[in-house]
Amino acid sequence: MALFAPVRSETTDLDAVRRYAVSVIARSEGEDLQMKAVTLALLGGIMWRAVPGSTALMQDPAGAKAILSTTLGSRHLTFAYDQNTEAIEMREGTTDGPVLHRFCNRTLVGDFEGPFSVLWR
Protein backbone atom coordinates (compact mmCIF):
# COMPACT_ATOMS: atom_id res chain seq x y z
CA MET A 1 0.00 0.00 0.00
CA ALA A 2 1.55 3.26 -1.12
CA LEU A 3 1.53 6.07 1.39
CA PHE A 4 1.90 9.65 0.31
CA ALA A 5 1.97 12.83 2.31
CA PRO A 6 -0.63 15.50 1.47
CA VAL A 7 0.77 18.73 0.10
CA ARG A 8 0.02 21.17 2.89
CA SER A 9 -0.36 24.34 0.82
CA GLU A 10 -3.89 23.70 -0.42
CA THR A 11 -6.73 24.91 1.71
CA THR A 12 -9.68 23.81 -0.43
CA ASP A 13 -10.62 21.12 -2.94
CA LEU A 14 -10.23 23.69 -5.70
CA ASP A 15 -6.67 24.51 -4.62
CA ALA A 16 -5.76 20.81 -4.77
CA VAL A 17 -7.32 20.39 -8.23
CA ARG A 18 -5.61 23.53 -9.54
CA ARG A 19 -2.19 22.35 -8.34
CA TYR A 20 -2.81 18.90 -9.86
CA ALA A 21 -3.80 20.46 -13.20
CA VAL A 22 -0.61 22.53 -13.27
CA SER A 23 1.47 19.43 -12.52
CA VAL A 24 -0.16 17.18 -15.15
CA ILE A 25 -0.21 19.81 -17.87
CA ALA A 26 3.47 20.57 -17.26
CA ARG A 27 4.34 16.87 -17.52
CA SER A 28 2.30 16.42 -20.71
CA GLU A 29 3.75 19.54 -22.34
CA GLY A 30 5.28 17.59 -25.24
CA GLU A 31 1.97 15.95 -26.14
CA ASP A 32 -0.75 17.40 -28.29
CA LEU A 33 -3.36 19.79 -26.92
CA GLN A 34 -5.94 17.02 -26.59
CA MET A 35 -4.32 15.76 -23.35
CA LYS A 36 -4.68 19.20 -21.81
CA ALA A 37 -8.35 19.25 -22.76
CA VAL A 38 -8.83 15.73 -21.34
CA THR A 39 -7.14 16.81 -18.10
CA LEU A 40 -9.37 19.84 -17.73
CA ALA A 41 -12.54 17.87 -18.53
CA LEU A 42 -11.59 15.15 -16.03
CA LEU A 43 -10.84 17.67 -13.29
CA GLY A 44 -14.07 19.53 -13.99
CA GLY A 45 -15.98 16.29 -13.42
CA ILE A 46 -14.10 15.67 -10.20
CA MET A 47 -14.88 19.16 -8.90
CA TRP A 48 -18.52 18.75 -9.86
CA ARG A 49 -19.07 15.37 -8.20
CA ALA A 50 -16.41 14.95 -5.50
CA VAL A 51 -17.53 14.84 -1.89
CA PRO A 52 -16.76 18.32 -0.53
CA GLY A 53 -13.60 18.35 1.54
CA SER A 54 -12.40 14.95 0.25
CA THR A 55 -9.97 16.14 -2.41
CA ALA A 56 -6.26 16.44 -1.64
CA LEU A 57 -3.07 16.67 -3.66
CA MET A 58 -0.41 14.17 -2.66
CA GLN A 59 3.07 13.41 -3.96
CA ASP A 60 5.19 10.30 -4.18
CA PRO A 61 8.13 10.12 -1.76
CA ALA A 62 10.53 11.49 -4.42
CA GLY A 63 8.17 14.39 -5.14
CA ALA A 64 8.16 13.53 -8.83
CA LYS A 65 4.55 12.42 -9.23
CA ALA A 66 1.43 14.33 -8.22
CA ILE A 67 -1.54 12.26 -7.10
CA LEU A 68 -5.06 13.59 -6.69
CA SER A 69 -7.02 11.75 -4.01
CA THR A 70 -10.79 12.19 -3.75
CA THR A 71 -14.10 10.54 -2.98
CA LEU A 72 -16.75 10.23 -5.69
CA GLY A 73 -20.01 8.78 -4.49
CA SER A 74 -18.93 6.31 -1.83
CA ARG A 75 -15.66 5.33 -3.52
CA HIS A 76 -12.21 6.64 -2.70
CA LEU A 77 -10.18 7.15 -5.87
CA THR A 78 -6.73 8.33 -6.86
CA PHE A 79 -5.75 9.97 -10.13
CA ALA A 80 -2.13 10.02 -11.29
CA TYR A 81 -0.50 10.89 -14.61
CA ASP A 82 1.67 8.08 -15.94
CA GLN A 83 4.34 9.41 -18.30
CA ASN A 84 4.98 5.93 -19.72
CA THR A 85 1.42 5.56 -21.02
CA GLU A 86 0.79 9.33 -21.30
CA ALA A 87 -2.50 8.83 -19.49
CA ILE A 88 -4.15 9.79 -16.23
CA GLU A 89 -4.99 6.61 -14.36
CA MET A 90 -8.08 6.46 -12.18
CA ARG A 91 -7.50 3.87 -9.45
CA GLU A 92 -9.64 2.40 -6.71
CA GLY A 93 -8.39 3.33 -3.25
CA THR A 94 -4.64 3.92 -3.34
CA THR A 95 -2.12 4.30 -6.13
CA ASP A 96 -1.61 0.54 -5.87
CA GLY A 97 -5.32 -0.14 -6.38
CA PRO A 98 -6.76 -1.55 -9.58
CA VAL A 99 -6.87 0.78 -12.58
CA LEU A 100 -10.52 1.57 -13.27
CA HIS A 101 -9.90 3.72 -16.32
CA ARG A 102 -7.16 5.53 -18.25
CA PHE A 103 -7.77 8.98 -19.72
CA CYS A 104 -5.44 9.95 -22.56
CA ASN A 105 -5.27 12.09 -25.68
CA ARG A 106 -7.49 9.55 -27.46
CA THR A 107 -10.27 9.89 -24.88
CA LEU A 108 -13.39 11.36 -26.43
CA VAL A 109 -15.73 13.62 -24.49
CA GLY A 110 -18.40 10.92 -24.55
CA ASP A 111 -15.94 8.45 -22.99
CA PHE A 112 -16.07 10.32 -19.66
CA GLU A 113 -19.67 9.37 -18.99
CA GLY A 114 -19.15 5.61 -18.72
CA PRO A 115 -16.50 5.51 -16.00
CA PHE A 116 -18.12 8.31 -14.00
CA SER A 117 -21.79 7.41 -14.35
CA VAL A 118 -21.32 4.39 -12.09
CA LEU A 119 -19.75 6.66 -9.44
CA TRP A 120 -22.44 9.34 -9.66
CA ARG A 121 -25.30 7.12 -8.52
Side-chain angles (χ1 to χ4, degrees), residues 20-96:
Y20 183 76
V22 167
S23 174
V24 169
I25 289 171
R27 283 187 170 80
S28 65
E29 202 57 46
E31 300 168 35
D32 64 37
L33 293 176
Q34 182 68 21
M35 189 59 203
K36 292 175 185 167
V38 166
T39 301
L40 295 174
L42 175 62
L43 295 177
I46 291 169
M47 285 304 300
W48 179 40
R49 291 296 188 172
V51 173
S54 71
T55 306
L57 179 67
M58 305 164 89
Q59 291 190 320
D60 68 352
K65 188 180 218 178
I67 297 112
L68 192 67
S69 172
T70 193
T71 301
L72 293 171
S74 62
R75 296 171 79 176
H76 179 74
L77 304 169
T78 56
F79 296 83
Y81 180 73
D82 182 337
Q83 283 187 291
N84 295 325
T85 62
E86 297 181 341
I88 297 173
E89 295 180 339
M90 177 173 76
R91 292 181 178 261
E92 183 79 45
T94 68
T95 55
D96 291 333

